[in-house]
Amino acid sequence: MNFSAVNKKANRVFLLPAIAIIVLSLVQCTPKHQVASSFKAGTTADDPNKGLKDYYKSYFPIGVAVNTAALHGPDSALIVKEFNSVTAENDMKMGPIHPSENVYNWKNADDIVDFATSHHIKIRGHNLCWHNQEAAWMFKGADGEPVTKELLLKRLKDHIFAVAGRYKGKIYAWDVVNEAVDDSNDTTQIYRKSNWYNICNGPDFIEAAFRYAHEADPQAKLYYNDYNSEHPVKREKIYKLLKKLVEDHVPIDGVGMQAHWKLNEPSPGELRKALDEVTSLGLKVQFTELDITIRLPQLNPAPGATTTPVPDPGYTPELEAKQIAQYKMAFDIFRQYKKFITNVTFWNVSDRYSWLDQRGGGLMGGAAAGGNTTRMVKKAYPLLFDENRQRKKAYWSVVGF
Ligand code: 9MR
């Protein structure tokens, strides 16, 4: 009797089905084959060694805005595990880093760059020119009068050469100009009437800033960064600005959509439309400041109304479900546009601290609640990690694909 032939037959009869069963059960445990709602912490799909950056490895880097406190405290381990890109929340802005003509505060920015570099984390630079947190000295001469356009652009150039030059080769993408587009519904008013705009008597500073940044660090990717980029009126204004920059051969690589979003905004259609429009110009997109507040504007009374404040409902299951759905919608679309999206960054690490909670000195509804009315909602709970830095259910809706 040929035992080898018998063994081969036995293999076919017993081993092959067994292998098939094992393979099938492994496939069922793989995240890709699970629907988002069944993808939860504690299941076999919850790999403790994986972070957001690993789930999104074949899509785009996942970043987070940090301050120096985050680098040393308990946030640091979470940052290293979950993210592969960082942005300085405040420390590279003009005012903080260059408070007077011959003074540069490098310490905090250097610490962030060193932390990221030592952990092989990419760095986005934020930002080189903004109307807010500006270096007020730049706009005035020794006589206290506004400077000329020429002097202002010279100061802008010196600033950009100093900052982008210092981090040349370390910062891979810069928000060169931040929020230069007007917020009103007046479609003829494209540019924000900032000190930059007023002294330059027009938008020339935008193009100049990009050219200086490119000269200072030719390898860095250069972005125009703004909020409400999906709102129909502002979207069109941003598009006009970008189109002009592209047509004028200004060295711009893409647009930063800040993505300070709400439970019901943007809609999937608005988000796709914004993406389609700017990518049609040949530009890349980075979602630079993502958070989704649970604050509901309709909880606030009209300004001036004498309504009894509604107590803070907290992070209720209903709000949580809406936030999960909005995060899932956003990342489903991000993945579909992966060819154009080169970074998705969250604005702050966990719900323990969000810039949104600070708005109105803790007494108002905050930016996302839409006005300086009586405080009703204390926290925005806008991120994927809770106040104890634990992954929220929204986290699993983002990685469960
Ligand atoms: O998160 C930042 C907050 O700590 C600052 O007080 C604020 C000052 O305007 O800026 C916040 O960051 C902003 C970012 O630089 C640009 N887009 C809007 C962000 C939230 O206001």
Side-chain angles (χ1 to χ4, degrees):
M1 190 165 197
N2 182 342
F3 282 101
S4 141
V6 170
N7 278 345
K8 274 186 191 148
K9 193 168 181 204
N11 277 352
R12 278 198 296 276
V13 172
F14 297 109
L15 285 181
L16 291 182
I19 290 168
I21 288 167
I22 291 166
V23 168
L24 268 177
S25 51
L26 280 176
V27 162
Q28 276 166 0
C29 290
T30 304
K32 283 193 179 344
H33 296 268
Q34 295 206 347
V35 292
S37 58
S38 66
F39 192 84
K40 291 194 181 82
T43 67
T44 45
D46 174 17
D47 179 343
N49 298 314
K50 274 184 156 186
L52 284 168
K53 63 179 185 347
D54 305 304
Y55 291 108
Y56 277 87
K57 200 172 173 185
S58 58
Y59 291 90
F60 29 72
I62 304 277
V64 63
V66 298
N67 46 51
T68 50
L71 309 181
H72 309 294
D75 276 350
S76 76
L78 190 149
I79 292 168
V80 171
K81 178 169 180 182
E82 301 283 349
F83 302 97
N84 52 3
S85 173
V86 294
T87 306
E89 181 180 10
N90 288 300
D91 293 310
M92 292 184 191
K93 294 171 180 171
M94 238 174 197
I97 209 168
H98 193 178
S100 57
E101 187 156 17
N102 298 311
V103 177
Y104 282 92
N105 293 328
W106 297 120
K107 173 92 179 72
N108 288 356
D110 282 358
D111 283 355
I112 291 170
V113 169
D114 290 346
F115 171 87
T117 310
S118 69
H119 289 101
H120 309 290
I121 291 174
K122 291 162 101 68
I123 308 159
R124 297 194 76 258
H126 178 81
N127 52 58
L128 294 171
C129 179
W130 192 21
H131 67 280
N132 208 343
Q133 287 177 296
E134 60 196 10
W137 64 270
M138 282 199 191
F139 305 114
K140 293 202 171 138
D143 56 2
E145 293 299 309
V147 291
T148 60
K149 172 178 176 180
E150 288 64 36
L151 181 54
L152 184 60
L153 292 184
K154 157 98 177 52
R155 287 177 168 180
L156 177 65
K157 181 175 184 180
D158 290 347
H159 172 82
I160 291 179
F161 268 61
V163 181
R166 184 179 183 88
Y167 301 116
K168 186 174 175 177
K170 294 187 172 169
I171 288 188
Y172 88 104
W174 271 104
D175 291 330
V176 178
V177 177
N178 200 36
E179 303 174 5
V181 167
D182 171 72
D183 280 324
S184 77
N185 281 330
D186 177 355
T187 50
T188 63
Q189 181 59 51
I190 295 186
Y191 301 102
R192 179 189 295 275
K193 295 278 179 56
S194 63
N195 281 327
W196 294 103
Y197 183 93
N198 292 337
I199 294 175
C200 293
N201 200 22
D204 288 357
F205 69 96
I206 301 175
E207 170 173 344
F210 276 94
R211 294 200 189 281
Y212 301 152
H214 185 58
E215 226 184 302
D217 185 355
Q219 301 302 319
K221 302 290 181 198
L222 305 183
Y223 284 77
Y224 171 75
N225 191 46
D226 215 329
Y227 57 85
N228 287 351
S229 336
E230 313 77 25
H231 287 202
V233 177
K234 192 155 178 195
R235 186 187 69 215
E236 290 314 308
K237 295 187 191 187
I238 293 175
Y239 177 76
K240 282 184 182 148
L241 161 65
L242 297 172
K243 188 160 183 289
K244 181 162 183 345
L245 293 178
V246 169
E247 283 170 359
D248 291 347
H249 304 290
V250 173
I252 177 170
D253 294 285
V255 58
M257 297 187 178
Q258 292 186 6
H260 293 296
W261 288 341
K262 302 190 180 122
L263 296 179
N264 58 350
E265 284 178 27
S267 69
E270 286 168 340
L271 178 53
R272 284 178 197 283
K273 174 86 180 147
L275 279 163
D276 290 341
E277 218 169 64
V278 297
T279 56
S280 76
L281 292 170
L283 296 173
K284 298 289 188 201
V285 175
Q286 303 203 335
F287 288 92
T288 53
E289 306 183 16
L290 176 60
D291 50 23
I292 300 178
T293 179
I294 62 146
R295 287 176 176 161
L296 297 172
Q298 63 269 27
L299 283 179
N300 280 352
T306 51
T307 314
T308 313
V310 178
D312 178 2
Y315 192 54
T316 65
E318 190 201 349
L319 296 172
E320 180 186 46
K322 286 185 178 159
Q323 189 184 51
I324 290 170
Q326 187 71 339
Y327 262 120
K328 179 167 168 21
M329 180 280 287
F331 276 82
D332 284 350
I333 293 180
F334 294 167
R335 288 193 304 278
Q336 287 162 15
Y337 283 76
K338 77 167 190 172
K339 183 158 98 163
F340 304 106
I341 296 177
T342 52
N343 189 300
V344 175
T345 285
F346 289 84
W347 206 246
N348 301 132
V349 181
S350 76
D351 288 349
R352 179 174 283 257
Y353 160 74
S354 156
W355 72 282
L356 288 161
D357 300 334
Q358 302 173 317
R359 297 287 292 214
L363 293 171
M364 325 269 219
N372 60 353
T373 49
T374 309
R375 165 94 171 153
M376 277 159 276
V377 181
K378 287 191 179 128
K379 283 182 67 71
Y381 304 97
L383 299 160
L384 294 185
F385 299 91
D386 69 17
E387 289 168 279
N388 297 315
R389 303 186 178 82
Q390 300 302 305
R391 293 165 169 178
K392 291 160 60 173
K393 285 185 193 155
Y395 179 102
W396 302 106
S397 78
V398 158
V399 302
F401 54 90

